[in-house]
Amino acid sequence: MPQSSANRRAFRHALIPAAMLVLAAPVAIAIQSTAAVAEGTAQGSSSEQELATGTLLLRGQGVAHSLPAVRLGTDMDVTVTGQIARVRVTQAFRNTSDRWMEASYLYPLPQDGAVDSLKMVVGQRVIVGRIQPREKARAAYEAARSSGRKAGLVEQQRPNMFSTSVANVGPGETVLISIEYQAPVAQANGTFSLRLPLVVGPRYTPPHTLTSSAAADDARAVTAAPVLDPALGPNQNPTSISVHLSPGFDVANLISRYHKIDVAGPNDNRTVRLAEATVPADRDFVLEWRSASADPTLGLFAQKTASGDYVMASIAPPANLDGLPRPPREMVFVIDNSGSMGGASMEEAKASLVHALGTLRPQDHFNVIRFDDTMTRLFEHSVAATPDQVALATRFAQSLEAQGGTEMLPALQAALEDAGTGGGNDPDILRQIVFLTDGAISNEREMMAAIGADGGRSHVFMVGIGSAPNDFLMERMSTIGGGVYTHVGAPGEVAAKMMPLLDVLSHPAVRDLSVRVEGGALDLTPSRLPDVYAGRPLVLVGRADKLTGTLTVSGRIGDRPWERRVDLAAALPSPAIEKLWARRRITDVEADRALGKLEDPRADAEVERIGMESGIVTSRTSLVAVDETPSRPAGARLSREELPINLPAGWDFDLLFGQDAVQAAPKDGSGDLAAMQAQALELPQTATGFLGLIGKGLALMLAGLTGLALLRRRAA
């Protein structure tokens, strides 16, 4: 039976000693000193002791005492062409101290984004990144750092989390870092959507995963800066966004889910900007639109390259499946009530669960599992969805409170194993798991392996809760589990987001999919074809020596055969398919690794090969930029300090860190919280704001690259 809220509340006080929160954020700038490196080495030796004793750390409490490297802001410039988004993220910050700095930050990106460009302006120098194997890139960066040369490094920590480091930034220098990536535009139920992640919430690392120094290093890789208490002020880490929207059709119902926007231009070429110029980087930016016509003639794009032809095809299943029988279901609802769900996220999750419970039919069976760092099954096994049982489950859901760590794996395993009166392995009963969470964990690989071990008996539908859920985990679990992913980002959109999902759950999917090409050959991804649901197209990306022939997708909906044919010659040109194919192929490799089908050495080698061939950042390839001219004087030391970052909107700071977590007095003893806030918000006095600095920096970058091209031409 449910654990009492009083007992569960006790787990809140055990959160800090019992778990490690791995913190990441859009821009967690840190500055490294030789002394700090030595200290870190000494502390690093204690990591073995931490692993041996099970002692874990909660990092990133309070607010920084000083800001020696003040970040001026972030500008995101996005161009959407057809169903592809090209994004340039430019970070600008100035070293206002009198010391030489090394700056590093973690930045969230779409989990299916392909990062392929790094440009850096430091002072009067323009430095362009090159793709290299990960260890070689890291060695080149560290050699440049030690010798006093300016350098930049971009590494992937997770498919949706990248780190950038900049070495040897001089006193008073302004640094611009420009990263470019491309990602597909999502489509569901006739709505196209662009999502720009701006913040990554604290990540929980289960103690059992820290079984080796390599595991500890992986956890530390997503450790970031202290987290700012939102009470200190709303204007932290400002971000500006511009979107140039050219989808190939007239746009209707253009909506920004969580930010106010200004819109200009014709319907087929809209320009979207933030209404308030800048916003704090504390929640994802989501832009949605539909076609003004009933059926946009889009969905097939191709790119010709020296390495071959690439194609992206979006195949839509039938929109109306109401005439098909709806089989009885066993539905297991899993709800996260850990500390990271405190505040608005918990209310969104509870409302979503209550809404879903209200759609159960008498012929269905169900169960509810709640978890933090403990777990409770409402019923021993799934039970019939009688009015009394549904009412009990509703009261249970409404009583939940957020506290404790985020131990997702036991709850997932319990949901996969639940095979009671709901039907067990009966093929006539559709088994569905609806998992409501923010996914704020670091052991994603274990979750995917657990779903793979289920053998497809259950279909897993992930519901991402809150302002910044872990999309990488949500998408991957849904794909492996044969379900779909839905994001509920605000309390007011629970019904709008849950109703389409529940409609999907009530209809049969297109299953037993197969793909063939007549008159040609394609190397297609994904290699494991998922189930396809009404309103959600199957997106295939392929590579061929020469793009010809007809692509045919076939499957079954219930007992009925289903088929779609696409003439590949009708594809519209696009410059972005090659890198998307590489990103998707790497996703296939990583899925095989997580499912135990591919050993680590072989998977690493394949990921590195694809990354080098396509020129994108992966877990095995990085972008590195090195200036050949030393700039830091001999004997001058580097300094490292961490700049605090924002807490995702809707998260409860006190619940995560305790009410005394904010370090209210700086080290100089002034103890003036207002002065600390002013210090955190103070920007250097310049003729222009940070957008002006970004514009000047980009102009300088262009001029530098032009000059470099002229010099090379003269040399030739």
mmCIF file of all heavy atoms in Angstrom, residues 411-452:
data_model
loop_
_atom_site.group_PDB
_atom_site.id
_atom_site.type_symbol
_atom_site.label_atom_id
_atom_site.label_comp_id
_atom_site.label_asym_id
_atom_site.label_seq_id
_atom_site.Cartn_x
_atom_site.Cartn_y
_atom_site.Cartn_z
ATOM 1 N N ALA A 411 11.875 1.324 -10.526
ATOM 2 C CA ALA A 411 10.480 1.562 -10.913
ATOM 3 C C ALA A 411 10.209 1.060 -12.324
ATOM 4 O O ALA A 411 9.159 0.462 -12.592
ATOM 5 C CB ALA A 411 10.157 3.050 -10.799
ATOM 6 N N LEU A 412 11.145 1.286 -13.238
ATOM 7 C CA LEU A 412 10.976 0.784 -14.600
ATOM 8 C C LEU A 412 10.952 -0.737 -14.618
ATOM 9 O O LEU A 412 10.106 -1.353 -15.287
ATOM 10 C CB LEU A 412 12.108 1.306 -15.491
ATOM 11 C CG LEU A 412 12.133 0.754 -16.920
ATOM 12 C CD1 LEU A 412 10.876 1.133 -17.690
ATOM 13 C CD2 LEU A 412 13.389 1.235 -17.659
ATOM 14 N N GLN A 413 11.853 -1.366 -13.890
ATOM 15 C CA GLN A 413 11.884 -2.826 -13.849
ATOM 16 C C GLN A 413 10.596 -3.384 -13.262
ATOM 17 O O GLN A 413 10.073 -4.394 -13.750
ATOM 18 C CB GLN A 413 13.098 -3.286 -13.043
ATOM 19 C CG GLN A 413 14.427 -3.006 -13.735
ATOM 20 C CD GLN A 413 15.622 -3.279 -12.841
ATOM 21 O OE1 GLN A 413 15.541 -3.157 -11.620
ATOM 22 N NE2 GLN A 413 16.748 -3.631 -13.441
ATOM 23 N N ALA A 414 10.059 -2.730 -12.238
ATOM 24 C CA ALA A 414 8.796 -3.181 -11.646
ATOM 25 C C ALA A 414 7.657 -3.062 -12.643
ATOM 26 O O ALA A 414 6.792 -3.944 -12.724
ATOM 27 C CB ALA A 414 8.492 -2.370 -10.388
ATOM 28 N N ALA A 415 7.644 -1.991 -13.430
ATOM 29 C CA ALA A 415 6.593 -1.817 -14.432
ATOM 30 C C ALA A 415 6.696 -2.863 -15.524
ATOM 31 O O ALA A 415 5.687 -3.398 -16.000
ATOM 32 C CB ALA A 415 6.676 -0.416 -15.028
ATOM 33 N N LEU A 416 7.903 -3.194 -15.937
ATOM 34 C CA LEU A 416 8.098 -4.193 -16.983
ATOM 35 C C LEU A 416 7.740 -5.593 -16.496
ATOM 36 O O LEU A 416 7.300 -6.442 -17.279
ATOM 37 C CB LEU A 416 9.553 -4.163 -17.467
ATOM 38 C CG LEU A 416 9.992 -2.895 -18.203
ATOM 39 C CD1 LEU A 416 11.506 -2.890 -18.391
ATOM 40 C CD2 LEU A 416 9.296 -2.758 -19.552
ATOM 41 N N GLU A 417 7.923 -5.845 -15.204
ATOM 42 C CA GLU A 417 7.683 -7.187 -14.664
ATOM 43 C C GLU A 417 6.238 -7.417 -14.254
ATOM 44 O O GLU A 417 5.835 -8.558 -14.037
ATOM 45 C CB GLU A 417 8.583 -7.411 -13.441
ATOM 46 C CG GLU A 417 10.054 -7.477 -13.788
ATOM 47 C CD GLU A 417 10.933 -7.432 -12.543
ATOM 48 O OE1 GLU A 417 10.362 -7.309 -11.429
ATOM 49 O OE2 GLU A 417 12.157 -7.496 -12.694
ATOM 50 N N ASP A 418 5.456 -6.363 -14.082
ATOM 51 C CA ASP A 418 4.094 -6.504 -13.575
ATOM 52 C C ASP A 418 3.259 -7.312 -14.574
ATOM 53 O O ASP A 418 2.916 -6.831 -15.647
ATOM 54 C CB ASP A 418 3.482 -5.123 -13.347
ATOM 55 C CG ASP A 418 2.131 -5.204 -12.655
ATOM 56 O OD1 ASP A 418 1.688 -6.310 -12.299
ATOM 57 O OD2 ASP A 418 1.513 -4.147 -12.485
ATOM 58 N N ALA A 419 2.936 -8.538 -14.218
ATOM 59 C CA ALA A 419 2.182 -9.418 -15.127
ATOM 60 C C ALA A 419 1.130 -10.177 -14.338
ATOM 61 O O ALA A 419 1.085 -11.400 -14.326
ATOM 62 C CB ALA A 419 3.120 -10.390 -15.839
ATOM 63 N N GLY A 420 0.272 -9.439 -13.671
ATOM 64 C CA GLY A 420 -0.739 -10.073 -12.830
ATOM 65 C C GLY A 420 -2.010 -10.338 -13.589
ATOM 66 O O GLY A 420 -2.015 -10.847 -14.709
ATOM 67 N N THR A 421 -3.124 -9.917 -13.010
ATOM 68 C CA THR A 421 -4.418 -10.191 -13.614
ATOM 69 C C THR A 421 -4.658 -9.377 -14.873
ATOM 70 O O THR A 421 -5.668 -9.548 -15.531
ATOM 71 C CB THR A 421 -5.532 -9.875 -12.597
ATOM 72 O OG1 THR A 421 -5.396 -8.511 -12.153
ATOM 73 C CG2 THR A 421 -5.428 -10.791 -11.398
ATOM 74 N N GLY A 422 -3.716 -8.499 -15.197
ATOM 75 C CA GLY A 422 -3.884 -7.710 -16.409
ATOM 76 C C GLY A 422 -3.715 -8.508 -17.679
ATOM 77 O O GLY A 422 -4.011 -8.026 -18.762
ATOM 78 N N GLY A 423 -3.186 -9.710 -17.595
ATOM 79 C CA GLY A 423 -3.097 -10.519 -18.792
ATOM 80 C C GLY A 423 -1.741 -11.105 -19.045
ATOM 81 O O GLY A 423 -1.596 -12.016 -19.841
ATOM 82 N N GLY A 424 -0.711 -10.567 -18.375
ATOM 83 C CA GLY A 424 0.622 -11.134 -18.518
ATOM 84 C C GLY A 424 1.066 -11.163 -19.958
ATOM 85 O O GLY A 424 1.157 -10.137 -20.615
ATOM 86 N N ASN A 425 1.315 -12.351 -20.491
ATOM 87 C CA ASN A 425 1.810 -12.502 -21.856
ATOM 88 C C ASN A 425 0.703 -12.751 -22.866
ATOM 89 O O ASN A 425 0.968 -13.199 -23.983
ATOM 90 C CB ASN A 425 2.830 -13.646 -21.902
ATOM 91 C CG ASN A 425 4.078 -13.327 -21.097
ATOM 92 O OD1 ASN A 425 4.600 -12.226 -21.178
ATOM 93 N ND2 ASN A 425 4.540 -14.294 -20.315
ATOM 94 N N ASP A 426 -0.537 -12.516 -22.515
ATOM 95 C CA ASP A 426 -1.649 -12.715 -23.431
ATOM 96 C C ASP A 426 -1.482 -11.790 -24.630
ATOM 97 O O ASP A 426 -1.493 -10.561 -24.492
ATOM 98 C CB ASP A 426 -2.966 -12.409 -22.703
ATOM 99 C CG ASP A 426 -4.182 -12.757 -23.563
ATOM 100 O OD1 ASP A 426 -4.024 -12.908 -24.789
ATOM 101 O OD2 ASP A 426 -5.282 -12.873 -22.994
ATOM 102 N N PRO A 427 -1.307 -12.341 -25.845
ATOM 103 C CA PRO A 427 -1.069 -11.487 -27.017
ATOM 104 C C PRO A 427 -2.262 -10.630 -27.381
ATOM 105 O O PRO A 427 -2.118 -9.663 -28.139
ATOM 106 C CB PRO A 427 -0.743 -12.497 -28.127
ATOM 107 C CG PRO A 427 -1.396 -13.769 -27.680
ATOM 108 C CD PRO A 427 -1.321 -13.768 -26.192
ATOM 109 N N ASP A 428 -3.444 -10.965 -26.889
ATOM 110 C CA ASP A 428 -4.630 -10.173 -27.218
ATOM 111 C C ASP A 428 -4.762 -8.927 -26.338
ATOM 112 O O ASP A 428 -5.644 -8.098 -26.573
ATOM 113 C CB ASP A 428 -5.893 -11.027 -27.069
ATOM 114 C CG ASP A 428 -5.935 -12.157 -28.092
ATOM 115 O OD1 ASP A 428 -5.380 -11.959 -29.196
ATOM 116 O OD2 ASP A 428 -6.495 -13.224 -27.781
ATOM 117 N N ILE A 429 -3.918 -8.818 -25.335
ATOM 118 C CA ILE A 429 -3.960 -7.655 -24.448
ATOM 119 C C ILE A 429 -2.765 -6.765 -24.746
ATOM 120 O O ILE A 429 -1.616 -7.225 -24.756
ATOM 121 C CB ILE A 429 -3.969 -8.086 -22.966
ATOM 122 C CG1 ILE A 429 -5.279 -8.804 -22.652
ATOM 123 C CG2 ILE A 429 -3.777 -6.894 -22.043
ATOM 124 C CD1 ILE A 429 -5.399 -9.258 -21.215
ATOM 125 N N LEU A 430 -3.022 -5.518 -25.004
ATOM 126 C CA LEU A 430 -1.982 -4.545 -25.327
ATOM 127 C C LEU A 430 -1.402 -3.996 -24.035
ATOM 128 O O LEU A 430 -2.121 -3.406 -23.224
ATOM 129 C CB LEU A 430 -2.579 -3.420 -26.172
ATOM 130 C CG LEU A 430 -1.613 -2.374 -26.723
ATOM 131 C CD1 LEU A 430 -0.586 -3.021 -27.643
ATOM 132 C CD2 LEU A 430 -2.395 -1.305 -27.482
ATOM 133 N N ARG A 431 -0.106 -4.193 -23.821
ATOM 134 C CA ARG A 431 0.535 -3.781 -22.574
ATOM 135 C C ARG A 431 1.273 -2.457 -22.790
ATOM 136 O O ARG A 431 2.186 -2.371 -23.614
ATOM 137 C CB ARG A 431 1.510 -4.855 -22.098
ATOM 138 C CG ARG A 431 1.905 -4.690 -20.650
ATOM 139 C CD ARG A 431 2.560 -5.952 -20.101
ATOM 140 N NE ARG A 431 2.598 -5.887 -18.653
ATOM 141 C CZ ARG A 431 3.498 -5.180 -17.973
ATOM 142 N NH1 ARG A 431 4.430 -4.512 -18.625
ATOM 143 N NH2 ARG A 431 3.462 -5.142 -16.654
ATOM 144 N N GLN A 432 0.891 -1.431 -22.051
ATOM 145 C CA GLN A 432 1.441 -0.091 -22.238
ATOM 146 C C GLN A 432 1.925 0.471 -20.899
ATOM 147 O O GLN A 432 1.229 0.377 -19.886
ATOM 148 C CB GLN A 432 0.393 0.844 -22.839
ATOM 149 C CG GLN A 432 -0.097 0.387 -24.205
ATOM 150 C CD GLN A 432 -1.292 1.194 -24.700
ATOM 151 O OE1 GLN A 432 -2.073 1.701 -23.908
ATOM 152 N NE2 GLN A 432 -1.430 1.300 -26.015
ATOM 153 N N ILE A 433 3.123 1.059 -20.916
ATOM 154 C CA ILE A 433 3.685 1.727 -19.738
ATOM 155 C C ILE A 433 3.765 3.218 -20.039
ATOM 156 O O ILE A 433 4.349 3.626 -21.061
ATOM 157 C CB ILE A 433 5.074 1.176 -19.398
ATOM 158 C CG1 ILE A 433 4.981 -0.301 -19.010
ATOM 159 C CG2 ILE A 433 5.720 1.975 -18.265
ATOM 160 C CD1 ILE A 433 6.330 -0.959 -18.811
ATOM 161 N N VAL A 434 3.176 4.035 -19.178
ATOM 162 C CA VAL A 434 3.225 5.492 -19.315
ATOM 163 C C VAL A 434 4.093 6.013 -18.177
ATOM 164 O O VAL A 434 3.744 5.875 -16.999
ATOM 165 C CB VAL A 434 1.823 6.123 -19.266
ATOM 166 C CG1 VAL A 434 1.913 7.627 -19.411
ATOM 167 C CG2 VAL A 434 0.944 5.527 -20.367
ATOM 168 N N PHE A 435 5.242 6.596 -18.533
ATOM 169 C CA PHE A 435 6.262 6.975 -17.563
ATOM 170 C C PHE A 435 6.335 8.497 -17.503
ATOM 171 O O PHE A 435 6.719 9.152 -18.469
ATOM 172 C CB PHE A 435 7.611 6.393 -18.009
ATOM 173 C CG PHE A 435 8.561 6.078 -16.904
ATOM 174 C CD1 PHE A 435 8.892 4.767 -16.617
ATOM 175 C CD2 PHE A 435 9.139 7.082 -16.152
ATOM 176 C CE1 PHE A 435 9.785 4.459 -15.606
ATOM 177 C CE2 PHE A 435 10.024 6.793 -15.134
ATOM 178 C CZ PHE A 435 10.352 5.470 -14.856
ATOM 179 N N LEU A 436 5.975 9.087 -16.356
ATOM 180 C CA LEU A 436 5.945 10.539 -16.188
ATOM 181 C C LEU A 436 7.126 10.978 -15.329
ATOM 182 O O LEU A 436 7.201 10.651 -14.141
ATOM 183 C CB LEU A 436 4.631 10.980 -15.531
ATOM 184 C CG LEU A 436 3.346 10.585 -16.262
ATOM 185 C CD1 LEU A 436 2.655 9.440 -15.530
ATOM 186 C CD2 LEU A 436 2.402 11.761 -16.383
ATOM 187 N N THR A 437 8.074 11.739 -15.906
ATOM 188 C CA THR A 437 9.297 12.113 -15.208
ATOM 189 C C THR A 437 9.974 13.268 -15.929
ATOM 190 O O THR A 437 9.657 13.564 -17.089
ATOM 191 C CB THR A 437 10.268 10.913 -15.137
ATOM 192 O OG1 THR A 437 11.472 11.304 -14.465
ATOM 193 C CG2 THR A 437 10.628 10.430 -16.534
ATOM 194 N N ASP A 438 10.929 13.917 -15.246
ATOM 195 C CA ASP A 438 11.783 14.893 -15.922
ATOM 196 C C ASP A 438 13.062 14.237 -16.439
ATOM 197 O O ASP A 438 13.854 14.867 -17.125
ATOM 198 C CB ASP A 438 12.113 16.076 -15.009
ATOM 199 C CG ASP A 438 12.777 15.661 -13.702
ATOM 200 O OD1 ASP A 438 13.249 14.514 -13.614
ATOM 201 O OD2 ASP A 438 12.822 16.479 -12.770
ATOM 202 N N GLY A 439 13.289 12.974 -16.064
ATOM 203 C CA GLY A 439 14.455 12.239 -16.559
ATOM 204 C C GLY A 439 15.775 12.779 -16.059
ATOM 205 O O GLY A 439 16.807 12.605 -16.728
ATOM 206 N N ALA A 440 15.802 13.396 -14.868
ATOM 207 C CA ALA A 440 17.008 14.051 -14.361
ATOM 208 C C ALA A 440 17.949 13.025 -13.734
ATOM 209 O O ALA A 440 18.201 13.032 -12.531
ATOM 210 C CB ALA A 440 16.632 15.130 -13.353
ATOM 211 N N ILE A 441 18.473 12.132 -14.553
ATOM 212 C CA ILE A 441 19.393 11.093 -14.096
ATOM 213 C C ILE A 441 20.567 11.017 -15.065
ATOM 214 O O ILE A 441 20.514 11.545 -16.181
ATOM 215 C CB ILE A 441 18.713 9.714 -14.004
ATOM 216 C CG1 ILE A 441 18.187 9.285 -15.386
ATOM 217 C CG2 ILE A 441 17.594 9.727 -12.986
ATOM 218 C CD1 ILE A 441 17.706 7.852 -15.443
ATOM 219 N N SER A 442 21.634 10.340 -14.634
ATOM 220 C CA SER A 442 22.811 10.191 -15.494
ATOM 221 C C SER A 442 23.004 8.760 -15.983
ATOM 222 O O SER A 442 23.861 8.512 -16.825
ATOM 223 C CB SER A 442 24.069 10.628 -14.738
ATOM 224 O OG SER A 442 24.307 9.795 -13.620
ATOM 225 N N ASN A 443 22.231 7.790 -15.471
ATOM 226 C CA ASN A 443 22.404 6.385 -15.867
ATOM 227 C C ASN A 443 21.428 6.000 -16.975
ATOM 228 O O ASN A 443 20.682 5.023 -16.879
ATOM 229 C CB ASN A 443 22.261 5.460 -14.657
ATOM 230 C CG ASN A 443 20.908 5.565 -13.974
ATOM 231 O OD1 ASN A 443 20.354 6.646 -13.881
ATOM 232 N ND2 ASN A 443 20.386 4.446 -13.489
ATOM 233 N N GLU A 444 21.440 6.775 -18.052
ATOM 234 C CA GLU A 444 20.512 6.531 -19.155
ATOM 235 C C GLU A 444 20.694 5.141 -19.779
ATOM 236 O O GLU A 444 19.736 4.490 -20.175
ATOM 237 C CB GLU A 444 20.689 7.601 -20.244
ATOM 238 C CG GLU A 444 20.322 9.006 -19.820
ATOM 239 C CD GLU A 444 21.507 9.842 -19.432
ATOM 240 O OE1 GLU A 444 22.534 9.250 -19.037
ATOM 241 O OE2 GLU A 444 21.424 11.073 -19.507
ATOM 242 N N ARG A 445 21.935 4.709 -19.848
ATOM 243 C CA ARG A 445 22.217 3.444 -20.524
ATOM 244 C C ARG A 445 21.533 2.272 -19.826
ATOM 245 O O ARG A 445 21.038 1.345 -20.483
ATOM 246 C CB ARG A 445 23.734 3.245 -20.580
ATOM 247 C CG ARG A 445 24.184 2.039 -21.384
ATOM 248 C CD ARG A 445 25.690 2.085 -21.586
ATOM 249 N NE ARG A 445 26.224 0.850 -22.103
ATOM 250 C CZ ARG A 445 27.509 0.642 -22.388
ATOM 251 N NH1 ARG A 445 28.368 1.623 -22.190
ATOM 252 N NH2 ARG A 445 27.929 -0.502 -22.850
ATOM 253 N N GLU A 446 21.494 2.292 -18.492
ATOM 254 C CA GLU A 446 20.825 1.218 -17.746
ATOM 255 C C GLU A 446 19.337 1.180 -18.062
ATOM 256 O O GLU A 446 18.748 0.098 -18.158
ATOM 257 C CB GLU A 446 21.018 1.429 -16.249
ATOM 258 C CG GLU A 446 22.381 1.042 -15.719
ATOM 259 C CD GLU A 446 22.404 1.040 -14.202
ATOM 260 O OE1 GLU A 446 21.740 1.901 -13.590
ATOM 261 O OE2 GLU A 446 23.066 0.174 -13.628
ATOM 262 N N MET A 447 18.721 2.350 -18.209
ATOM 263 C CA MET A 447 17.291 2.401 -18.489
ATOM 264 C C MET A 447 16.983 1.770 -19.845
ATOM 265 O O MET A 447 16.033 0.993 -19.989
ATOM 266 C CB MET A 447 16.818 3.853 -18.453
ATOM 267 C CG MET A 447 17.105 4.589 -17.152
ATOM 268 S SD MET A 447 16.205 3.913 -15.750
ATOM 269 C CE MET A 447 14.536 4.390 -16.198
ATOM 270 N N MET A 448 17.795 2.097 -20.841
ATOM 271 C CA MET A 448 17.558 1.549 -22.177
ATOM 272 C C MET A 448 17.786 0.037 -22.218
ATOM 273 O O MET A 448 17.057 -0.701 -22.878
ATOM 274 C CB MET A 448 18.445 2.268 -23.185
ATOM 275 C CG MET A 448 18.055 3.723 -23.401
ATOM 276 S SD MET A 448 19.152 4.575 -24.537
ATOM 277 C CE MET A 448 20.292 5.336 -23.412
ATOM 278 N N ALA A 449 18.802 -0.428 -21.485
ATOM 279 C CA ALA A 449 19.059 -1.871 -21.439
ATOM 280 C C ALA A 449 17.897 -2.616 -20.797
ATOM 281 O O ALA A 449 17.542 -3.720 -21.232
ATOM 282 C CB ALA A 449 20.356 -2.134 -20.672
ATOM 283 N N ALA A 450 17.290 -2.026 -19.772
ATOM 284 C CA ALA A 450 16.152 -2.675 -19.107
ATOM 285 C C ALA A 450 14.979 -2.826 -20.064
ATOM 286 O O ALA A 450 14.306 -3.867 -20.089
ATOM 287 C CB ALA A 450 15.739 -1.874 -17.875
ATOM 288 N N ILE A 451 14.714 -1.796 -20.873
ATOM 289 C CA ILE A 451 13.617 -1.880 -21.838
ATOM 290 C C ILE A 451 13.931 -2.922 -22.904
ATOM 291 O O ILE A 451 13.063 -3.708 -23.309
ATOM 292 C CB ILE A 451 13.353 -0.503 -22.472
ATOM 293 C CG1 ILE A 451 12.877 0.480 -21.404
ATOM 294 C CG2 ILE A 451 12.314 -0.612 -23.584
ATOM 295 C CD1 ILE A 451 12.694 1.889 -21.914
ATOM 296 N N GLY A 452 15.171 -2.951 -23.357
ATOM 297 C CA GLY A 452 15.555 -3.939 -24.357
ATOM 298 C C GLY A 452 15.401 -5.359 -23.865
ATOM 299 O O GLY A 452 15.032 -6.265 -24.625
#
